[in-house]
Amino acid sequence: MGQVTIYLEDEIEKKMNAAVKSAQISKSKWIAQLVQDKVTNDWPQSVVEMAGSWSDFPSEDDIRATHTDDVPREAF
């Protein structure tokens, strides 16, 4: 298991300590969960690779060219 040293400004450390106390876990586990959330990719790689692969998908300008006004909304 890797080990990392971080440096925090005093105010950030106070906020972290409050969050850790509220979560009732160690600082190490709390930080590890934050890192895990940031590096987790919920999409399978095959889906990630499909981004931008539709050649016939309309451009942003094409989509906006057909924009119409909303229907008037009813008053409350």
Side-chain angles (χ1 to χ4, degrees):
M1 181 176 297
Q3 190 173 20
V4 177
T5 301
I6 63 170
Y7 298 93
L8 301 173
E9 294 179 9
D10 292 341
E11 191 59 34
I12 300 297
E13 184 181 13
K14 287 177 188 176
K15 290 178 181 181
M16 180 193 68
N17 287 335
V20 165
K21 185 175 181 179
S22 174
Q24 298 180 340
I25 58 177
S26 69
K27 290 178 187 179
S28 179
K29 188 167 188 101
W30 188 82
I31 292 169
Q33 287 176 353
L34 289 178
V35 172
Q36 180 65 37
D37 289 347
K38 290 293 184 182
V39 300
T40 299
N41 184 354
D42 293 336
W43 295 100
Q45 188 59 32
S46 60
V47 174
V48 172
E49 290 170 358
M50 288 185 346
S53 64
W54 292 279
S55 60
D56 60 342
F57 195 80
S59 70
E60 184 177 333
D61 291 333
D62 292 338
I63 294 170
R64 289 183 175 167
T66 61
H67 174 74
T68 59
D69 292 334
D70 286 342
V71 174
R73 299 183 188 250
E74 294 180 16
F76 284 112

